[in-house]
Amino acid sequence: MTLAITDYERVWIEGLNQGTVSGADEAFAATGIIHIAGAPSPNLSVSEFKKLVQGLLTAFPDLHLTVDDQIVSGDKVATRWTAVGTHTGPLGDNAPTGQPVKFEGLILDRVVDGRVVERWEQWDQMGMLQQLGVV
């Protein structure tokens, strides 16, 4: 059975899997706010979010995300995802390690007119860094 996911999430994930954050312009409202646990700022604009994710794509150019589960209820969408990739680019101050990683995350979106207006996201940053041997 194929998992049915929302159109906006499909556009976002397909872009990420091609190494680009351009899908954000279609998936997120221009005034959207993204809250990510552990991010430098607790309330990111869409452009700040794109910059943060682009850094991850630079560190893991082969990053591949998969939506494992998605539940829609009213204007809320919950998504569980898994990412795999190889650390072949710089990650902040950390030089490439060549190490493969696998990490998971959870998202809760509030969606209006098919676009995310607010996102709460948590993912296993510590587990990813442990796999790279940097913590």
Side-chain angles (χ1 to χ4, degrees):
M1 181 169 97
T2 303
L3 176 68
I5 64 171
T6 57
D7 290 339
Y8 77 85
E9 195 69 50
R10 180 177 294 103
V11 166
W12 175 237
I13 297 290
E14 285 176 356
L16 294 177
N17 288 343
Q18 295 172 15
T20 179
V21 295
S22 62
D25 297 333
E26 186 176 337
F28 295 87
T31 58
I33 300 294
I34 297 91
H35 314 279
I36 300 179
S41 170
N43 304 309
L44 301 173
S45 67
V46 174
S47 63
E48 292 167 325
F49 180 57
K50 287 168 59 174
K51 185 176 179 182
L52 180 82
V53 174
Q54 187 60 59
L56 196 63
L57 294 174
T58 297
F60 302 93
D62 65 344
L63 192 71
H64 184 84
L65 283 90
T66 303
V67 173
D68 302 310
D69 285 306
Q70 193 171 71
I71 300 168
V72 179
S73 179
D75 67 347
K76 298 287 192 323
V77 179
T79 305
R80 183 175 65 86
W81 56 265
T82 301
V84 295
T86 310
H87 184 214
T88 58
L91 180 64
D93 295 334
N94 300 298
T97 63
Q99 293 294 316
V101 296
K102 179 179 180 180
F103 52 96
E104 298 176 337
L106 297 169
I107 298 168
L108 178 61
D109 289 327
R110 187 167 62 85
V111 179
V112 176
D113 295 328
R115 290 184 177 207
V116 177
V117 295
E118 195 161 18
R119 170 171 281 193
W120 295 266
E121 185 164 3
Q122 294 190 354
W123 58 280
D124 189 9
Q125 297 169 24
M126 182 62 73
M128 178 196 69
L129 294 172
Q130 288 172 333
Q131 291 173 63
L132 297 177
V134 298
V135 293

